[in-house]
Amino acid sequence: MSSSRVKEYAISRLCVSLIRFVDCVASRFIKCLCFWMAMTSVLLLVALAGPLFGLASAGVADNRVDTFWRRNDGSCALPDSMLKEIHGYQPIVNKIVNKVVNGEFAGRTWDSLAELVDTFGARVAGSEQLEKAIDYVITKMQADGLENVHTENATVPHWVRGYESAELVKPFRKNLPLLGLGSTIGTPRGGIIAEVLAVESFKEFETIPAEQVRGKIVVFSPVWESYGRTVVYRSQAASVASRKGAVAALVRSITPFSIGSPHTGQQHYQDGVKKIPVACITVEDAQMLLRKYRRGEKMEIHLEMEDRPMEPVVSRNSIGELVGTTYTNTSVVVVSGHLDSWDVGVGAMDDGGGAIISWKALTYLKAMGLRPRRTIRAILWTGEEEGLYGGAAYKEAHKAQEFEEFNFFFESDIGTFEPRGLDFVGNADAECVFREIVKLMAPLNATEFETPTDGGPDISHWTTRGFPGASLLNKNEKYFWFHHSAGDSMAVEDPKNLDKCAALWAAAAYVVADLSIPMPKDVQP
């Protein structure tokens, strides 16, 4: 443990102990008073003298589990002084909301997002559009007066969509709109004409002998359950079909609603399994092919795809800061979204909105003269869509000092519709604190609290190991209607709701960054 970390840890524990001391005196419990005085002495002795005895190097203090703020029944028991401190931020939250939603910044978030996507369009990893968009963001962050603006490299996959066509040629001709899935190979020149085999599920496919599959195009038409349950068909269909000798796979688009538009996304070839072309088709066509197959009709599809994987390339995460008054490069609060998108639509919703509110939260706080104790760092990730490559590279680059460097992580990647509140992941003490912070968002009618997080894929590099984090809860019931499709455009984004999301992001990040104590955490290696 570094000397700076020892001091911060000792101070944080002293603050916690003093809070309890005040509460005990107020209630005149002499035994409690004596207990907490003793605990304070022990904690300070361990924190300050521990490095001399090798305790810090063993990770004892770093992974200490706090249980002071939970009752035996699991409910929160924050001291009155801590509650008073958190509730004292209400006027600042009100100011942020008024300025961003109803004041001088109203509408600017939507305008900034529109300018970004209108200028660069889709921003798929490895593309010139993405790299130009990164340059643009860096220039604009500097113009906004953000500090320590820079990029950090991340190697990302590079896959290029080429000409794509699918046509049902027997028993009648019908065009089948499709989108190749990320990393798919193409077909041979001239395409493939093959008989169709259609199933509803992997379980059903398991019952079909390999000799009945060999040489065919397999269509998977699963029932929509949820994104998390249904997306496995997009991810695994190619290799599942290939194991039994299929020449290609077509998958129902992963969406609960369709108006004849395909939805793309990343797929993954399994090691040791022959790679075959794979694409998504519309919900309507997948269901039609399944119905016809179950009636015993013989069908043939002509599939032609010129998609091709390329060599990986170096991209960049985009970073800007509002430097803290007390802690500059330790105990940092991260706000984030990903700047890359798929190559259809313009990525306004996924995840231009999340990226823009993370950037503009800092812009608005600085313009209002609100600078917290700890640094707030905006990170616009790259290469998220293909597998969280930007987050992975950032984790590796910062892992040596991550415990000291990071206090809390925010990520918005599940829509920026009307905000409902925030969801959370972290230990019990941090949850008690964060629940109270969410209550401050009443001016936005956004006080819902859920756990664990649902929209924080890149920050999962940290939150799955014990760092506390949160993502945006919003009224995103229609999110997957537009997800990874041509429908992901500015038409999905509402200016007022985007203002509210930006205000919520700025307010929550400010409070977490300005609290007198760091967020409790139980970090695993």
Side-chain angles (χ1 to χ4, degrees):
M1 180 184 290
S2 66
S3 60
S4 63
R5 175 59 191 150
V6 169
K7 291 177 183 178
E8 183 183 348
Y9 182 82
I11 291 169
S12 69
R13 300 321 308 164
L14 177 59
C15 289
V16 172
S17 297
L18 286 175
I19 289 168
R20 288 162 176 74
F21 173 82
V22 171
D23 287 346
C24 290
V25 170
S27 57
R28 298 183 181 180
F29 286 120
I30 302 303
K31 290 182 180 180
C32 184
L33 169 62
C34 295
F35 172 77
W36 283 115
M37 289 177 68
M39 284 298 296
T40 300
S41 300
V42 171
L43 287 168
L44 285 172
L45 179 62
V46 170
L48 294 172
L52 299 177
F53 295 95
L55 293 178
S57 62
V60 174
D62 283 0
N63 292 312
R64 185 178 180 280
V65 179
D66 291 308
T67 57
F68 295 116
W69 294 338
R70 285 284 188 177
R71 298 186 179 93
N72 291 335
D73 64 0
S75 61
C76 291
L78 287 177
D80 289 343
S81 48
M82 177 57 68
L83 290 171
K84 183 177 179 181
E85 178 187 349
I86 296 172
H87 297 165
Y89 285 101
Q90 191 67 66
I92 295 178
V93 171
N94 294 347
K95 176 182 177 180
I96 293 170
V97 171
N98 287 335
K99 288 278 191 178
V100 177
V101 178
N102 304 310
E104 61 186 287
F105 305 125
R108 291 193 187 180
T109 310
W110 192 94
D111 289 342
S112 296
L113 178 59
E115 183 177 315
L116 172 70
V117 301
D118 291 347
T119 302
F120 302 102
R123 304 169 302 283
V124 69
S127 70
E128 183 179 6
Q129 288 108 302
L130 174 59
E131 297 310 308
K132 286 184 175 180
I134 291 170
D135 292 337
Y136 165 90
V137 166
I138 293 300
T139 299
K140 290 289 189 179
M141 280 185 171
Q142 292 169 336
D144 284 352
L146 301 192
E147 296 133 7
N148 298 331
V149 176
H150 66 286
T151 61
E152 296 189 21
N153 289 350
T155 300
V156 300
H158 185 199
W159 172 82
V160 177
R161 187 184 306 281
Y163 173 77
E164 297 173 332
S165 173
E167 183 183 20
L168 181 67
V169 293
K170 286 184 180 180
F172 58 83
R173 289 189 173 272
K174 181 186 186 303
N175 179 53
L176 303 173
L178 85 163
L179 286 171
L181 297 178
S183 81
T184 184
I185 64 170
T187 62
R189 185 182 297 273
I192 298 167
I193 298 177
E195 189 176 339
V196 173
L197 185 153
V199 295
E200 185 175 281
S201 67
F202 287 154
K203 186 175 181 179
E204 180 183 353
F205 186 69
E206 289 173 3
T207 66
I208 300 175
E211 55 267 25
Q212 294 183 25
V213 178
R214 197 169 294 115
K216 294 180 180 177
I217 295 174
V218 177
V219 174
F220 292 95
S221 182
V223 174
W224 170 270
E225 296 181 62
S226 66
Y227 184 74
R229 288 180 176 271
T230 314
V231 75
V232 295
Y233 288 91
R234 189 188 76 200
S235 301
Q236 302 175 20
S239 292
V240 168
S242 179
R243 279 198 214 98
K244 292 189 175 183
V247 295
L250 299 175
V251 186
R252 167 211 158 116
S253 288
I254 309 304
T255 177
F257 175 80
S258 178
I259 52 171
S261 59
H263 296 235
T264 191
Q266 189 69 7
Q267 67 90 31
H268 303 282
Y269 289 121
Q270 295 177 5
D271 293 339
V273 179
K274 181 180 178 181
K275 296 179 180 181
I276 61 174
V278 58
C280 60
I281 58 176
T282 69
V283 173
E284 295 88 340
D285 285 340
Q287 292 176 344
M288 177 268 293
L289 294 170
L290 180 62
R291 290 193 303 270
K292 291 174 74 64
Y293 181 80
R294 285 180 169 175
R295 295 189 194 109
E297 296 184 41
K298 183 176 179 179
M299 297 174 287
E300 289 184 1
I301 286 176
H302 179 202
L303 177 67
E304 188 171 3
M305 298 168 60
E306 295 180 355
D307 307 334
R308 61 193 189 280
M310 311 284 281
E311 289 299 313
V313 300
V314 175
S315 185
R316 298 160 290 165
N317 293 315
S318 308
I319 300 151
E321 293 182 344
L322 181 62
V323 175
T325 59
T326 304
Y327 304 101
T328 56
N329 198 37
T330 61
S331 204
V332 171
V333 173
V334 171
V335 291
S336 66
H338 67 86
L339 188 58
D340 67 299
S341 71
W342 278 108
D343 59 335
V344 291
V346 295
M349 181 193 74
D350 183 20
D351 183 32
I356 212 80
I357 66 170
S358 298
W359 159 16
K360 291 301 176 180
L362 274 63
T363 300
Y364 301 149
L365 288 173
K366 180 161 187 179
M368 285 184 275
L370 294 173
R371 188 180 292 272
R373 287 182 174 91
R374 297 172 187 81
T375 293
I376 305 177
R377 181 179 298 164
I379 306 178
L380 277 55
W381 309 107
T382 190
E384 187 276 343
E385 293 292 3
E386 293 75 18
L388 317 182
Y389 285 89
Y394 196 81
K395 173 195 166 187
E396 285 301 306
H398 292 256
K399 66 181 180 182
Q401 68 274 17
E402 65 177 3
F403 189 93
E404 291 84 3
E405 184 172 0
F406 300 118
N407 179 43
F408 198 91
F409 292 85
F410 289 89
E411 183 174 6
S412 172
D413 188 19
I414 195 71
T416 43
F417 300 92
E418 184 177 357
R420 296 166 38 216
L422 293 161
D423 57 15
F424 169 83
V425 62
N427 72 14
D429 282 349
E431 180 180 331
C432 288
V433 174
F434 201 70
R435 282 182 179 273
E436 294 301 320
I437 292 172
V438 174
K439 293 177 183 178
L440 298 173
M441 307 304 149
L444 292 164
N445 194 28
T447 57
E448 293 184 40
F449 176 96
E450 292 182 7
T451 188
T453 55
D454 182 43
D458 276 293
I459 65 172
S460 66
H461 291 296
W462 295 271
T463 57
T464 55
R465 295 183 295 114
F467 284 92
S471 64
L472 181 67
L473 283 175
N474 61 108
K475 296 181 179 179
N476 59 357
E477 295 84 0
K478 297 181 180 179
Y479 178 78
F480 290 108
W481 290 21
F482 312 102
H483 183 248
H484 294 182
S485 77
D488 185 351
S489 69
M490 285 305 297
V492 177
E493 296 290 338
D494 176 76
K496 181 64 73 174
N497 287 339
L498 205 54
D499 284 342
K500 290 179 180 179
C501 290
L504 176 62
W505 223 227
Y510 178 85
V511 175
V512 172
D514 197 59
L515 283 175
S516 62
I517 62 168
M519 276 289 191
K521 56 190 175 189
D522 304 325
V523 177
Q524 302 300 317

